[in-house]
Amino acid sequence: MENVFLFAGLVLIFASILSLYRVIYGPGIFNRIVAVNVIGTKTILILVLIGYIYGRPHFVDIALAYALLNVIMTIAATKGIEV
Amino acid sequence: MIWALDISMLIFLVISAVAAIAVKDLLSSVIILSLYSLIMAIVWVELRAVDVAFTEAAVGAGITTVLFILTIMKTSGRYEE
Amino acid sequence: MLTTITNIISTIFIITGLFFVLVGTIGLLRFPDFYTRMHATGKCDTLGEGLMLVGLMVYQGFDLISVKMLFLVIFIFVANPVATHAIARRAYKVGLEAWRLEK
Amino acid sequence: MSRLDSKKFISLYLLLFAFWLLLSGLLDWFHLGFGIISTFIVTSFCYDMVFVSKEGKDNPTKIIRLFKYLPWILYQIVLANIDVAKRVLNPSMPIEPQFIKIDSYLKSDLSKTSFANSITLTPGTITVDIDENNTFLVHAIATAPADDLLGGTMERKVAHVFLEDK
Amino acid sequence: MKILPVVVALLTGALLIWAGQDMPDFGDPDAPTNHHVADWYIEHSEEDIEVENMVSSILADYRGYDTLGETTVIFTGGVTVILLLRGRGH
Amino acid sequence: MIDLILAKYNYWIYVVLMMIGFYAVMDRSNLLKKVMGLNIFSTAIFLFYISIGDVAGGTEPVYLHGVENVLYVNPIPHVLILTGIVVSVTTTAVALGLIVRIHEEFGTIEEDKILELQS
Amino acid sequence: MKGDESVIVRTVIRLMAPFIQIYGLYVIFHGGGGPGGGFQGGVILAASIILYVMAFGIEEGQAKLTEKINMIMRTTGLLIYSGIGALAILFGGKFLDYGAVPLPFIHHIPEVRAILIDGGVEVGVGITVMAVMVTLFYEFYPGGSIDD
């Protein structure tokens, strides 16, 4: 099963690197916020999967905390754009 | 095989650091900086520093980004001249 | 025997989730404007990551860790659409033009 | 400080304490004691945030109906993803984006929120804005899903869950 | 783009790379850093303090002074920002 | 040579990150960019410390019960870096406060213009 | 500045905030058993208040957690930490030597130290960090600074 988790982690990182294109070149601030939000939700999964790869899965706490704080980051970023 | 994950994360880290410095729009730069710190959190879980990863996730996503954005709002300028 | 079956089920869940996540990423790259990109990310990421977490829950069995992952699934299903809505609303308020089909 | 409603307070306390137990899982007196104290602090800090008085009637019926609603919405989410996958992977990309407006008769905050989240998760539509007159502004990716939404099936189902049938 | 900052940054980097050649390998279990106090902490921390997380026990007990100083630093930072941004014009 | 690069790759990444941060602190005239460069610089140093304490094949420094002869990662750098992160956050907050104050005083946060205004 | 988020964001934040706070307190009290501790829990607690202020506006937030209570909490946390250290001197130990503090019913010294770390020191750090972070946020938020 470790190979499945490792494969899943690598595919998620590949998807994040594809999304990085939108972060760097994406026209305008909104595309960047969307792409960073997407990479953030992928990060939650990568954190859980690394816990399983190392065989100590009781570190889901970090992923939970990150999920909570990702929302704050997104809402704060949308607030920073003046209407 | 974990080294593949490690190396790709590190390259990701360098790219996002360069992007954070090079982008002209200040708000975009702050958002890329938060991306940088979340990649850093993954690197620290890989190096088995769980507490440090927790702190970095909390600080990088929660506090530093919010403070930077509020400063940009107060200094009333998104674009660098 | 039982372990093999659970492993196969969780692998199926994880692979399906990965497929949807990849579709969302391709949509993020391919769609022509901001609002249509939100369609790809808002839906595919939510379901893809939910499916992967369910697969990990099946692998883990029933204990406190899988309960925490259940919280994570619920949280993603509530928070992801709200984040999508917040970004789209601010873009609409700012007056971002939507892409239309050229006739 | 508004008036303390003891029923709301106790139900929120029990809910949060159950959440604490599921997170902690340690049943020794030390952690249980801290659980009781911290749940009390949080409950007294935000007792007026979760159960709002105008939404507080007949909660058990709502929960039963919510569980009946969940399978349908999950099925719709899967349909939505297959729909997006078809559109993304098709080389010609069959999309014609448009904005539509829906006048809704939903009243409470909770039902509006559920309706907006359901719109975002189901095929081809995302909620963009909601104004004071309960008008939802929806971005649709093609004409067919927009017509589906204007048909009003989902609104009726959400209204049924929150006891707000017309 | 001015030339001086690039040169200074590259020089510093070259110096660090030159110095880094003598470091022990990455992830080497026999590196000297992993064997002075670290072994003692890993072996004895659970007998001394009934806490599973070694980082917590070192942070709050063996190196309690550090953490007290850290908390003081946070407090001072908050007070400094208040002094900078509040109540001007007096 | 190739051995040297592969055996210590974390160290070289830290050097690269540090150079990026250092360059930003020196070259950018916008004060916010300088603070961002400072953040990147400090994270590079943290990466160096944690890399020193890493042990290949080790596990997290949380006790595993019921298993003999577990190899744990060195916990001391983690403790030092926790303190370091906290101090870095406080430094950032104070620096941002100073930037807000500078903007109120001079009306700009570009270093060149501030120097012009002062002279 | 008033919060200008839509009713959807407000409702979700209103429903989520108590759970985020419980989670933050859980992280503070379980610093010994896994990852976490005072600093991380304090930041999560502050994050819940930051979310509340961003959705409902600064006046609502400062009515919930007033500047006076915030000031008291800022100092209380530091006082708890150094107070436990001073208590150890009072009972004949050295400064911050938790084992010297006598607790009722518990005389096993490693357990005393564990309890004082989890329930005393981390709580002090958490309270200080939370109050300072909220203070920073109030000061930087447009219209949040109080002139007295």
Side-chain angles (χ1 to χ4, degrees):
Chain A
M1 279 307 275
E2 271 75 30
N3 288 325
V4 176
F5 296 143
L6 203 54
F7 173 74
L10 285 175
V11 171
L12 281 176
I13 289 175
F14 177 67
S16 310
I17 288 175
L18 286 181
S19 313
L20 197 62
Y21 176 82
R22 278 275 167 247
V23 178
I24 294 172
Y25 292 105
I29 179 79
F30 288 105
N31 285 307
R32 293 198 171 110
I33 296 177
V34 173
V36 169
N37 190 21
V38 164
I39 296 179
T41 43
K42 287 190 181 78
T43 306
I44 299 166
L45 255 291
I46 296 174
L47 289 176
V48 178
L49 282 170
I50 289 175
Y52 273 97
I53 290 168
Y54 283 136
R56 312 269 313 251
H58 55 274
F59 298 132
V60 195
D61 290 4
I62 306 170
L64 206 48
Y66 197 82
L68 300 172
L69 292 159
N70 197 21
V71 179
I72 295 178
M73 198 202 73
T74 310
I75 293 180
T78 57
K79 260 208 145 26
I81 305 161
E82 300 293 328
V83 179
Chain B
M1 271 298 281
I2 190 77
W3 57 266
L5 233 120
D6 199 7
I7 287 182
S8 48
M9 284 338 295
L10 288 172
I11 291 168
F12 206 146
L13 202 61
V14 172
I15 296 173
S16 52
V18 171
I21 297 302
V23 169
K24 285 283 177 205
D25 185 12
L26 280 177
L27 192 54
S28 306
S29 182
V30 170
I31 287 166
I32 297 173
L33 196 71
S34 80
L35 175 70
Y36 170 84
S37 89
L38 87 91
I39 305 299
M40 208 75 207
I42 301 181
V43 170
W44 276 330
V45 174
E46 272 179 17
L47 295 176
R48 305 173 200 87
V50 197
D51 282 80
V52 185
F54 208 144
T55 317
E56 180 74 22
V59 161
I63 295 300
T64 315
T65 313
V66 172
L67 288 184
F68 265 113
I69 290 171
L70 292 178
T71 312
I72 290 174
M73 282 162 80
K74 275 212 159 185
T75 54
S76 70
R78 267 177 57 193
Y79 296 98
E80 201 179 339
E81 285 154 42
Chain C
M1 188 59 205
L2 197 64
T3 344
T4 325
I5 295 174
T6 14
N7 282 1
I8 289 172
I9 294 173
S10 77
T11 311
I12 289 171
F13 269 115
I14 289 174
I15 299 292
T16 324
L18 277 180
F19 170 72
F20 282 125
V21 168
L22 272 181
V23 165
T25 312
I26 296 171
L28 181 69
L29 291 177
R30 253 197 99 195
F31 275 149
D33 87 320
F34 165 73
Y35 294 104
T36 41
R37 281 175 205 142
M38 306 284 310
H39 281 275
T41 59
K43 299 186 209 336
C44 289
D45 268 22
T46 314
L47 184 69
E49 278 150 23
L51 281 178
M52 289 179 71
L53 281 172
V54 169
L56 289 175
M57 275 160 67
V58 171
Y59 176 75
Q60 176 69 30
F62 186 76
D63 61 358
L64 279 176
I65 298 169
S66 63
V67 169
K68 276 181 193 169
M69 278 196 260
L70 183 67
F71 286 143
L72 208 47
V73 173
I74 295 171
F75 189 82
I76 286 177
F77 267 78
V78 173
N80 234 356
V82 170
T84 308
H85 161 75
I87 304 171
R89 179 172 189 270
R90 187 49 64 106
Y92 183 74
K93 292 263 174 192
V94 170
L96 199 70
E97 290 282 315
W99 180 86
R100 284 176 195 285
L101 201 65
E102 286 92 7
K103 293 260 168 79
Chain D
M1 270 285 178
S2 58
R3 190 172 53 87
L4 264 178
D5 188 339
S6 59
K7 201 175 151 194
K8 271 193 290 182
F9 191 90
I10 291 170
S11 47
L12 181 61
Y13 187 89
L14 291 179
L15 185 67
L16 290 178
F17 193 64
F19 185 65
W20 170 279
L21 283 183
L22 286 175
L23 281 177
S24 160
L26 295 173
L27 292 176
D28 53 304
W29 64 270
F30 175 67
H31 289 100
L32 271 182
F34 275 120
I36 290 168
I37 294 170
S38 53
T39 316
F40 184 77
I41 294 170
V42 173
T43 316
S44 51
F45 185 72
C46 44
Y47 61 94
D48 56 345
M49 280 156 76
V50 172
F51 298 117
V52 180
S53 54
K54 60 186 174 188
E55 290 167 0
K57 298 189 193 80
D58 221 355
N59 276 319
T61 326
K62 283 181 191 171
I63 291 171
I64 292 167
R65 288 190 180 179
L66 190 65
F67 276 103
K68 282 184 192 161
Y69 176 67
L70 278 180
W72 183 78
I73 193 76
L74 277 177
Y75 175 64
Q76 291 292 315
I77 292 169
V78 174
L79 279 189
N81 278 274
I82 294 170
D83 178 68
V84 171
K86 271 181 195 162
R87 284 180 209 279
V88 167
L89 299 178
N90 193 334
S92 64
M93 230 172 20
I95 55 172
E96 34 182 323
Q98 50 191 291
F99 284 107
I100 53 173
K101 283 191 172 155
I102 303 174
D103 286 320
S104 159
Y105 56 83
L106 297 172
K107 283 193 244 7
S108 65
D109 290 354
L110 204 56
S111 60
K112 281 183 219 164
T113 309
S114 318
F115 185 46
N117 273 7
S118 308
I119 288 176
T120 305
L121 287 174
T122 48
T125 45
I126 54 174
T127 316
V128 175
D129 199 0
I130 173 173
D131 61 8
E132 291 82 19
N133 310 321
N134 273 347
T135 309
F136 286 74
L137 183 71
V138 174
H139 184 267
I141 201 167
T143 316
D147 291 343
D148 266 5
L149 188 64
L150 286 172
T153 318
M154 187 190 291
E155 193 178 2
R156 253 180 282 124
K157 280 186 189 282
V158 175
H160 182 68
V161 170
F162 291 97
L163 307 173
E164 292 176 11
D165 295 295
K166 201 157 47 174
Chain E
M1 188 155 148
K2 284 163 284 182
I3 194 73
L4 188 63
V6 183
V7 172
V8 173
L10 283 179
L11 270 181
T12 320
L15 195 69
L16 283 170
I17 286 175
W18 176 69
Q21 285 175 352
D22 296 335
M23 297 282 298
D25 284 357
F26 171 58
D28 187 4
D30 299 323
T33 31
N34 297 341
H35 286 290
H36 279 288
V37 252
D39 285 340
W40 194 88
Y41 280 146
I42 290 173
E43 274 172 32
H44 293 86
S45 140
E46 198 172 28
E47 297 164 16
D48 283 354
I49 306 147
E50 283 191 352
V51 163
E52 282 172 39
N53 192 350
M54 291 173 222
V55 176
S56 269
S57 64
I58 298 175
L59 187 78
D61 197 316
Y62 293 119
R63 290 176 179 266
Y65 275 102
D66 282 15
T67 314
L68 185 59
E70 172 202 311
T71 318
T72 319
V73 165
I74 301 173
F75 180 78
T76 319
V79 173
T80 312
V81 171
I82 290 177
L83 289 177
L84 274 173
L85 296 182
R86 188 190 290 178
R88 289 179 298 277
H90 289 286
Chain F
M1 187 65 198
I2 204 82
D3 274 359
L4 196 68
I5 291 173
L6 283 183
K8 302 184 174 68
Y9 60 92
N10 261 32
Y11 298 149
W12 311 138
I13 296 287
Y14 120 76
V15 171
V16 171
L17 284 176
M18 205 213 73
M19 275 156 63
I20 295 168
F22 197 28
Y23 171 74
V25 172
M26 284 189 294
D27 184 62
R28 300 287 136 163
S29 78
N30 193 302
L31 291 176
L32 272 171
K33 278 276 170 71
K34 275 186 199 282
V35 179
M36 284 176 211
L38 209 60
N39 263 325
I40 293 177
F41 196 113
S42 61
T43 17
I45 307 295
F46 300 159
L47 180 63
F48 174 61
Y49 263 67
I50 302 282
S51 301
I52 286 180
D54 191 36
V55 175
T59 183
E60 286 91 351
V62 178
Y63 281 111
L64 270 176
H65 292 292
V67 189
E68 292 292 312
N69 284 329
V70 194
L71 184 64
Y72 293 109
V73 165
N74 187 355
I76 299 175
H78 301 184
V79 178
L80 299 178
I81 294 315
L82 270 176
T83 315
I85 290 179
V86 174
V87 173
S88 153
V89 172
T90 317
T91 319
T92 310
V94 174
L96 292 177
L98 280 170
I99 288 176
V100 171
R101 200 71 189 86
I102 285 172
H103 181 260
E104 281 174 2
E105 212 56 44
F106 292 99
T108 178
I109 52 170
E110 300 285 330
E111 199 188 17
D112 318 344
K113 290 182 185 166
I114 294 169
L115 288 176
E116 269 176 33
L117 282 172
Q118 268 189 335
S119 60
Chain G
M1 194 170 119
K2 272 190 74 65
D4 55 347
E5 299 295 337
S6 71
V7 65
I8 298 161
V9 179
R10 283 182 187 210
T11 312
V12 168
I13 285 173
R14 201 190 68 198
L15 292 179
M16 256 165 35
F19 294 96
I20 296 179
Q21 284 168 2
I22 286 281
Y23 183 69
L25 287 168
Y26 155 78
V27 170
I28 289 181
F29 286 122
H30 291 250
F39 185 77
Q40 294 93 326
V43 170
I44 293 174
L45 280 178
S48 81
I49 293 179
I50 288 175
L51 259 183
Y52 188 79
V53 170
M54 281 198 297
F56 289 89
I58 189 82
E59 289 88 6
E60 291 261 336
Q62 283 182 340
K64 272 271 182 210
L65 184 68
T66 54
E67 186 54 35
K68 199 165 185 179
I69 295 175
N70 203 7
M71 190 182 76
I72 293 170
M73 279 166 74
R74 217 159 46 217
T75 37
T76 309
L78 205 52
L79 202 65
I80 289 175
Y81 197 156
S82 41
I84 289 174
L87 215 59
I89 298 183
L90 206 63
F91 288 107
K94 298 196 176 83
F95 186 57
L96 292 176
D97 181 10
Y98 310 127
V101 180
L103 288 183
F105 311 119
I106 299 164
H107 305 292
H108 185 50
I109 285 180
E111 208 179 336
V112 171
R113 290 169 94 167
I115 285 177
L116 281 179
I117 286 176
D118 259 5
V121 172
E122 303 274 23
V123 177
V125 176
I127 292 175
T128 305
V129 168
M130 178 215 160
V132 168
M133 294 301 164
V134 172
T135 310
L136 291 178
F137 181 71
Y138 280 174
E139 292 299 325
F140 277 100
Y141 202 80
S145 185
I146 303 162
D147 282 322
D148 46 1

